[in-house]
Amino acid sequence: MTQIVTGGTSGTDGTSLPQRLGVVRDRIASACAAVGRDPASVRLLPVSKTHSASLVAEAVKAGCRQFGENRVGELLAKSSEVESAGFTGVEWILIGHLQRNKAALVASHVRELQSLDSLRLARVLQAELERTDSTLRVFIEVNSSGEDSKFGLLPDDVGEFSRALRVYDRLLPVGLMTVAHPDRVQAEQGFTVMKILQTRLRNRDGGGWHELSMGMSGDFESAIAHGSTCVRVGTAIFGLRA
Ligand SMILES: *Cc1c(COP(=O)(O)O)cnc(C)c1O
């Protein structure tokens, strides 16, 4: 069992991780109250990318059970480090682009894949999940801002893509995910598009598609106002990334 030293890690502003977590939870509660939503309808997904296993361990001690990572290698290394330090029951979620050649590695190690963006990836995941006789919760990643630099389906392609996914029965599509535009107004437009897409899918399929993963440290209040059910928060909890 590896020893992970925790405690005493403070942000640049001198606050502790539990304090910052408390602030984020309060902000989520206020954002929900402002629009009459139940805070329990919004999941906080701490994003630990670039941060150490010892910071993750601190977050686990402060009550976090799930962590988002955007790189496969880092996710696998950190999860095994956290586990061998004796922290059990921690769930890992991939929120970054997944290459097909790494899909098999991920399928059995993550609780959820929030960045499904191609049918070719779906096919590889399906094969691996059949082999291990398991299933995987997936979100379709949507490029809601249309920026060239972003992964994800364009909004107009989501309907057809989601229908084509039906043959991959080991994948359980639960919702949509987006990384919003950095500009506040354009981010809000993106969130609105996401809510419309979700409603369309729900109407078409008579339900399902409960999840909308949107909102990060800088924009999660707005995302909650637009119906987010999962906010992915890194900086506001773990501090600035190197
Ligand atoms: C890094 C990252 C986040 C968290 O961003 P912060 O601004 O640090 O809260 C959320 N989602 C994705 C996909 C990310 O890569």
Side-chain angles (χ1 to χ4, degrees):
M1 184 159 130
T2 325
Q3 191 66 35
I4 293 186
V5 182
T6 64
T9 316
S10 56
T12 44
D13 56 355
T15 56
S16 67
L17 188 146
Q19 282 171 331
R20 293 192 298 272
L21 198 54
V23 169
V24 169
R25 292 209 174 103
D26 288 347
R27 280 173 61 190
I28 292 172
S30 304
C32 286
V35 293
R37 291 187 59 188
D38 178 357
S41 69
V42 179
R43 164 169 51 136
L44 169 60
L45 176 60
V47 175
S48 49
K49 70 185 185 203
T50 77
H51 295 291
S52 65
S54 63
L55 262 191
V56 169
E58 250 191 83
V60 173
K61 287 181 178 172
C64 300
R65 283 290 169 276
Q66 295 193 326
F67 296 92
E69 288 282 340
N70 69 338
R71 288 169 187 273
V72 173
E74 187 179 346
L75 184 156
L76 296 176
K78 209 177 290 179
S79 65
S80 82
E81 206 181 332
V82 169
E83 193 182 319
S84 55
F87 296 90
T88 53
V90 176
E91 297 179 338
W92 297 86
I93 293 178
L94 190 69
I95 58 175
H97 181 65
L98 175 57
Q99 290 170 314
R100 272 173 295 150
N101 61 3
K102 293 185 180 157
L105 284 173
V106 161
S108 53
H109 276 91
V110 299
R111 160 81 181 136
E112 219 170 62
L113 173 68
Q114 291 204 351
S115 48
L116 182 65
D117 58 4
S118 81
L119 290 175
R120 294 192 303 176
L121 174 59
R123 191 179 316 128
V124 179
L125 287 167
Q126 169 79 16
E128 177 62 14
L129 293 163
E130 281 174 2
R131 197 183 66 76
T132 56
D133 192 17
S134 51
T135 57
L136 180 64
R137 285 164 55 89
V138 295
F139 290 59
I140 299 173
E141 181 169 358
V142 182
N143 182 353
S144 60
S145 63
E147 290 166 276
D148 286 345
S149 58
K150 295 243 167 95
F151 289 106
L153 280 282
L154 289 173
D156 282 348
D157 298 333
V158 171
E160 190 182 329
F161 181 84
S162 61
R163 265 195 305 273
L165 268 189
R166 287 176 186 154
V167 297
Y168 304 114
D169 61 351
R170 298 291 175 141
L171 299 180
L172 313 175
V174 294
L176 306 174
M177 181 275 242
T178 198
V179 177
H181 196 282
D183 174 75
R184 192 179 54 82
V185 174
Q186 295 195 54
E188 277 187 22
Q189 288 167 353
F191 295 150
T192 304
V193 167
M194 294 294 287
K195 185 69 205 178
I196 292 169
L197 284 176
Q198 182 197 32
T199 304
R200 260 190 221 149
L201 294 177
R202 287 178 59 78
N203 289 343
R204 183 194 70 188
D205 294 348
W209 303 101
H210 295 287
E211 298 256 20
L212 265 188
S213 176
M214 54 190 200
M216 318 199 325
S217 292
D219 60 14
F220 69 73
E221 280 97 344
S222 166
I224 288 171
H226 287 86
S228 173
T229 64
C230 176
V231 294
R232 309 177 308 268
V233 180
T235 311
I237 295 173
F238 294 103
L240 291 173
R241 288 181 289 274

